[in-house]
């Protein structure tokens, strides 16, 4: 019987987050990825821009932006276990509970349960007052394929 894998270090997770944050997609959206205390995934949008708005012509953040943040947050939860493995969101269920207005947005996700190749996670987005504005649940496939670059963003 082999020993269980060790969890990644905070340094590995920080490097992983920095590499993803530098991607063209995340720069375009204006979001940042982080792994506070190595226990959860946080996607922050520090500045809500006009192109992020549009909930029925209001000043609320558009659901497409919130959904993208949820996809990223839930899709990155496997890195909390092993940042060397690629992964992909298989299923994402989003529930919008109230309009999100304000100058910034933060999504937070954590692992609910996982197996060898499948992980279940949940996430929520709160407004500046701490009210939950949206929730999501998702299923993520954990792959055995190597990263296209040949290494994970978390490894030197």
């Amino acid at each position: 019987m082999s020993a269980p894998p060790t969890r990644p270090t905070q340094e590995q997770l920080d490097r992983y987050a920095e590499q993803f944050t530098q991607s063209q997609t995340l720069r375009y959206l204006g979001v940042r990825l982080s792994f506070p205390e190595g226990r959860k995934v946080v996607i922050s949008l520090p500045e809500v821009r006009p192109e992020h708005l549009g909930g029925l012509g209001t000043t609320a953040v558009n659901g497409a932006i919130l959904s993208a943040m949820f996809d990223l947050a839930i899709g990155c939860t496997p890195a909390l276990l092993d940042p060397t493995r690629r992964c992909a969101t298989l299923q994402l269920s989003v529930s919008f509970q109230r309009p999100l207005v304000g100058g910034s947005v933060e999504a937070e996700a954590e692992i609910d349960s996982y197996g060898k190749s499948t992980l279940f996670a949940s996430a929520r987005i709160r407004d500046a007052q701490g009210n939950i504005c949206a929730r999501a649940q998702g299923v993520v496939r954990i792959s055995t394929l190597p990263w296209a670059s040949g290494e994970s963003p978390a490894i030197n």
Side-chain angles (χ1 to χ4, degrees):
M1 177 185 265
S2 63
T6 59
R7 295 279 176 119
T9 65
Q10 188 64 50
E11 181 182 354
Q12 287 176 307
L13 291 170
D14 290 345
R15 190 171 27 238
Y16 182 100
E18 186 57 36
Q19 289 292 319
F20 269 86
T21 296
Q22 293 306 314
S23 73
Q24 186 175 6
T25 303
L26 272 61
R27 286 193 336 251
Y28 178 78
L29 287 173
V31 299
R32 295 194 55 79
L33 166 66
S34 64
F35 299 95
E37 302 171 14
R39 300 179 65 177
K40 60 185 172 182
V41 177
V42 171
I43 306 300
S44 56
L45 175 61
E47 180 187 348
V48 173
R49 302 183 307 234
E51 61 267 27
H52 295 133
L53 303 177
L56 295 175
T58 70
T59 59
V61 176
N62 191 288
I65 300 300
L66 301 179
S67 295
M69 292 177 69
F70 277 141
D71 183 28
L72 181 60
I74 286 176
C76 286
T77 55
L80 295 166
L81 302 173
D82 184 356
T84 66
R85 296 178 70 185
R86 290 171 49 174
C87 54
T89 305
L90 295 176
Q91 185 272 331
L92 185 65
S93 176
V94 177
S95 172
F96 301 106
Q97 297 177 262
R98 66 177 67 214
L100 193 148
V101 294
S104 63
V105 180
E106 189 171 273
E108 187 176 288
E110 67 267 336
I111 297 169
D112 294 330
S113 64
Y114 64 94
K116 191 173 186 176
S117 63
T118 307
L119 178 144
F120 297 85
S122 56
R124 71 218 125 275
I125 292 177
R126 297 178 193 273
D127 63 17
Q129 291 73 40
N131 299 310
I132 294 176
C133 295
R135 296 179 190 267
Q137 293 182 310
V139 180
V140 182
R141 167 83 162 112
I142 304 170
S143 176
T144 58
L145 295 174
W147 287 91
S149 67
E151 61 184 42
S152 163
I155 306 300
N156 282 332

